[in-house]
Amino acid sequence: MNFTVETSPHIRRRANASMMLLDVIIALLPVIVFSCGYGWAGVRNLLIPLIVMEVAELLFVLIKGKGSLKAYSPVNALSAAVSALIFGLMAEPRSASMAGMEYFYLIAGSAFGIIVAKLVFGGFGQNIFNPAAAGFVFTRLCFGSSWTGGYAEN
């Protein structure tokens, strides 16, 4: 009788970057749904960074690829989406009492996170900082005094 000895895990699948990023988004879904419970403030915190980071990633690929969209892959889109969702979840859901400044804070923080912390170092897999955390720290350092106070009342 011959026994087959294998190392764990016994269930295998092809792991690639896009599948791992999709797994992270799936893992974030319960928190995303909970964030949307804050009303427009929670949804806004997810949508604005998502748009800003996806546009910045697309522009980076266009500039790096000399105007060709062939270099834009699902990994680019998913890595920007993961960073945007994490940044949006770290930002506090503010009410509209700040006269539109929360939009500027979200745009500035997400732009800093994706451009300075990720794209300057070469993009996916080459960044030395977490783009979401870098954008959050940038937002706190630059706009911390006006970002203190209550949460959204929705």
Side-chain angles (χ1 to χ4, degrees):
M1 176 184 281
N2 293 333
F3 291 103
T4 303
V5 179
E6 294 181 3
T7 60
S8 62
H10 299 291
I11 298 173
R12 288 189 168 80
R13 69 175 183 157
R14 291 184 180 216
N16 57 19
S18 61
M19 289 299 294
M20 287 187 266
L21 290 168
L22 192 60
D23 288 344
V24 172
I25 292 174
I26 291 169
L28 286 175
L29 280 177
V31 185
I32 290 168
V33 170
F34 182 77
S35 173
C36 294
Y38 281 101
W40 170 245
V43 174
R44 176 198 62 222
N45 280 8
L46 296 173
L47 286 180
I48 291 175
L50 187 64
I51 292 168
V52 170
M53 288 189 177
E54 289 290 345
V55 168
E57 185 81 28
L58 179 66
L59 290 175
F60 173 75
V61 169
L62 284 174
I63 291 169
K64 189 176 178 183
K66 296 176 178 58
S68 174
L69 276 175
K70 291 179 183 177
Y72 194 72
S73 67
V75 173
N76 296 109
L78 289 172
S79 68
V82 166
S83 296
L85 291 173
I86 293 172
F87 175 76
L89 291 169
M90 287 195 306
E92 297 170 358
R94 297 290 177 179
S95 62
S97 64
M98 296 173 67
M101 286 306 290
E102 65 273 358
Y103 293 101
F104 174 73
Y105 298 155
L106 290 170
I107 291 169
S110 56
F112 180 87
I114 199 76
I115 294 169
V116 174
K118 180 180 177 188
L119 299 179
V120 166
F121 294 100
F124 181 70
Q126 300 175 359
N127 50 320
I128 61 173
F129 302 112
N130 182 333
F136 182 73
V137 169
F138 171 79
T139 305
R140 288 294 177 186
L141 289 176
C142 293
F143 313 115
S145 62
S146 61
W147 231 175
T148 57
Y151 291 88
E153 297 145 6
N154 292 335

